[in-house]
């Protein structure tokens, strides 16, 4: 393959044998491959159809099959050729196949399938042009009992087996639309159905949601990727949240809220008015709130085990440090919260 380096601006290619076999014709539509087979020591590629020469390859219609013996080796080869390196790829055999049409609006996928280790992914529908992918309307079905790719990328620090995903996702000019979309990562489960408006106001949202998991570690990491810090500071523990979200340019409402974190629970509704100074309204009820789970004594603070007159032995203590109320200046609130059992 290294003989092609001068034709690719000096891009480094593996010094390994290869073979090319097939039929190639050139006409006004582009390159017609009937078929074209390329094989190296580590990869095999078969392509048949029309590969157009227009902008963004619009007009192309190809069927393809690609297979490799080791995804990690492939990643290293692509990195050497100038593609951004992806650390932690698994050393597993992989394959992709299907049909792709390309037009001005994006990519139309027909029965595209991918396999990695024991995992599989099936895609049908349209994907809009990157990076915003507007116009996407894609049906997905994924199943990997080993979560091979995710486990490798995360270094196995979070239990993510098995991985399952199904449903239909749309990306319009103004929102995302989920049709019975479900995802499972180990013991984490999420279900979405409806419309999710774009940030920051999420106007147009009409979304039924349910998510549950053994701890907040994974949700906190995902939230930080979008620079959301609403989960920071919450205690780690089993959680479950369900409800209905509705957004408009003026406010965002969550109704039918049913949330649990550890031994604490919250039910009811709330509405955030998106005024110059946001105002929160709501009516919430709780069977039990464990205050100590949310306001733990800071690490490194010594707590005496001695019991003085009038005290009883308990780990549920208010900190002697003053509570920082400055964040409350950023929002007004009128919330009715009824708690049956408050552990302080």
């Amino acid at each position: 393959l290294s003989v092609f380096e001068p034709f690719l601006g000096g891009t480094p290619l593996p010094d390994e044998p290869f073979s090319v076999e097939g039929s190639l014709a050139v006409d006004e539509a582009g390159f017609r491959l009937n078929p074209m087979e390329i094989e190296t020591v580590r990869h095999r590629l078969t392509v048949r159809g029309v590969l157009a020469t227009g902008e963004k390859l619009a007009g192309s219609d190809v069927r393809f099959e690609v297979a490799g013996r080791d995804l990690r080796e492939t990643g290293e080869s692509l990195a050497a050729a100038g593609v951004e390196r992806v650390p932690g790829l698994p050393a597993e055999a992989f394959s992709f196949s299907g049909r792709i049409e390309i037009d001005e609006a994006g990519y139309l996928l027909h029965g595209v399938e991918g396999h990695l280790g024991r995992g599989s992914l099936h895609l049908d529908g349209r994907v809009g042009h990157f990076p915003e992918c507007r116009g996407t309307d894609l049906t997905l079905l994924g199943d990997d009992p080993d979560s091979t790719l995710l486990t490798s990328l995360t270094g196995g620090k979070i239990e993510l087996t098995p991985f399952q995903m199904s449903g239909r996702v749309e990306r319009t000019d103004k929102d995302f639309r989920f049709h019975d979309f479900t995802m499972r990562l180990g013991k984490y489960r999420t279900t979405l159905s409806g419309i999710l408006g774009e940030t920051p106001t999420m106007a147009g949202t009409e979304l039924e949601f349910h998510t549950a998991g053994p701890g907040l570690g994974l949700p906190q990491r995902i939230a930080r990727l979008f620079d959301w810090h609403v989960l920071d500071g919450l205690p780690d523990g089993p959680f479950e949240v369900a409800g209905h979200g509705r957004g408009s340019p003026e406010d965002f409402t969550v109704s039918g809220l049913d949330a649990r974190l550890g031994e604490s629970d919250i039910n009811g509704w709330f509405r955030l008015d998106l005024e110059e100074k946001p105002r929160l309204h709501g009516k919430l009820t709780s069977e039990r709130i464990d205050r100590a789970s949310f306001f733990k004594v800071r690490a490194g603070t010594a707590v005496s085990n001695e019991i003085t007159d009038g005290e009883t032995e308990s780990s549920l203590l208010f900190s002697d440090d003053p509570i920082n109320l400055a964040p409350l200046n950023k929002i007004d609130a009128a919330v009715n919260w009824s708690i049956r059992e408050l552990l302080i």
Side-chain angles (χ1 to χ4, degrees):
L1 287 175
S2 58
V3 298
F4 292 104
E5 291 181 2
F7 304 99
L8 298 174
T11 299
L13 294 174
D15 189 16
E16 60 184 43
F18 70 94
S19 65
V20 179
E21 182 178 354
S23 172
L24 172 65
V26 182
D27 57 25
E28 66 278 0
F31 300 97
R32 294 188 179 273
L33 314 173
N34 298 302
M36 183 68 70
E37 297 183 359
I38 304 173
E39 188 168 358
T40 70
V41 174
R42 293 177 287 187
H43 304 97
R44 184 182 71 257
L45 171 65
T46 303
V47 182
R48 68 182 69 221
V50 178
L51 186 62
T53 57
E55 185 177 0
K56 296 182 178 179
L57 302 181
S60 297
D61 184 354
V62 298
R63 297 180 182 273
F64 68 95
E65 297 178 15
V66 58
R69 69 183 188 185
D70 189 315
L71 183 60
R72 183 177 299 170
E73 285 184 351
T74 301
E76 293 297 328
S77 297
L78 292 174
V83 178
E84 184 175 354
R85 182 184 303 273
V86 180
L89 290 175
E92 294 281 352
F94 66 93
S95 66
F96 296 95
S97 63
R99 177 186 170 204
I100 298 181
E101 294 182 77
I102 304 176
D103 57 25
E104 292 79 3
Y107 311 88
L108 194 57
L109 312 184
H110 303 273
V112 173
E113 293 190 0
H115 297 270
L116 177 64
R118 295 199 298 159
S120 63
L121 178 65
H122 185 94
L123 304 173
D124 265 300
R126 175 174 291 279
V127 177
H129 285 299
F130 298 98
E132 295 184 333
C133 298
R134 297 182 188 276
T136 292
D137 187 349
L138 193 63
T139 299
L140 314 93
L141 180 62
D143 186 11
D144 186 354
D146 304 316
S147 293
T148 306
L149 180 60
L150 293 172
T151 299
S152 181
L153 292 175
T154 59
K157 296 179 180 178
I158 301 177
E159 178 57 51
L160 297 176
T161 55
F163 166 74
Q164 296 172 332
M165 177 175 60
S166 64
R168 178 180 161 214
V169 179
E170 293 183 78
R171 172 67 163 112
T172 72
D173 287 337
K174 58 183 179 179
D175 54 43
F176 300 86
R177 304 191 175 197
F178 300 91
H179 305 266
D180 297 323
F181 178 82
T182 63
M183 179 180 289
R184 177 184 178 188
L185 288 171
K187 296 181 179 179
Y188 294 91
R189 299 172 183 265
T190 296
T191 301
L192 301 173
S193 187
I195 301 172
L196 178 63
E198 288 191 327
T199 56
T201 65
M202 296 188 177
T205 293
E206 286 284 355
L207 186 68
E208 295 285 344
F209 60 90
H210 177 270
T211 184
L216 289 177
L218 180 60
Q220 286 172 337
R221 291 187 185 187
I222 295 174
R224 289 168 189 156
L225 291 176
F226 297 93
D227 200 27
W228 297 344
H229 300 279
V230 294
L231 302 179
D232 291 354
L234 291 178
D236 197 14
F239 70 91
E240 183 173 7
V241 182
H244 179 90
R246 171 178 293 177
S248 74
E250 294 78 29
D251 57 47
F252 187 86
T253 302
V254 173
S255 57
L257 177 65
D258 185 0
R260 282 164 175 72
L261 178 57
E263 297 297 322
S264 300
D265 67 274
I266 300 177
N267 299 272
W269 66 270
F270 66 84
R271 182 182 78 248
L272 181 63
D273 293 337
L274 304 174
E275 303 169 355
E276 183 175 348
K277 183 178 182 181
R279 182 175 179 84
L280 182 67
H281 306 263
K283 186 173 182 179
L284 305 173
T285 62
S286 297
E287 286 294 312
R288 177 187 175 102
I289 291 293
D290 185 352
R291 181 213 58 82
S293 296
F294 291 87
F295 302 100
K296 294 182 180 295
V297 177
R298 292 180 303 176
T301 302
V303 177
S304 173
N305 291 323
E306 297 181 2
I307 303 175
T308 60
D309 292 341
E311 293 182 341
T312 59
E313 185 173 7
S314 173
S315 62
L316 305 180
L317 301 175
F318 283 110
S319 171
D320 291 333
D321 295 335
I323 299 176
N324 180 18
L325 300 179
L328 298 181
N329 293 326
K330 299 179 181 179
I331 187 172
D332 292 329
V335 178
N336 184 319
W337 189 0
S338 175
I339 302 174
R340 183 173 180 271
E341 182 180 14
L342 176 62
L343 301 182
I344 60 174

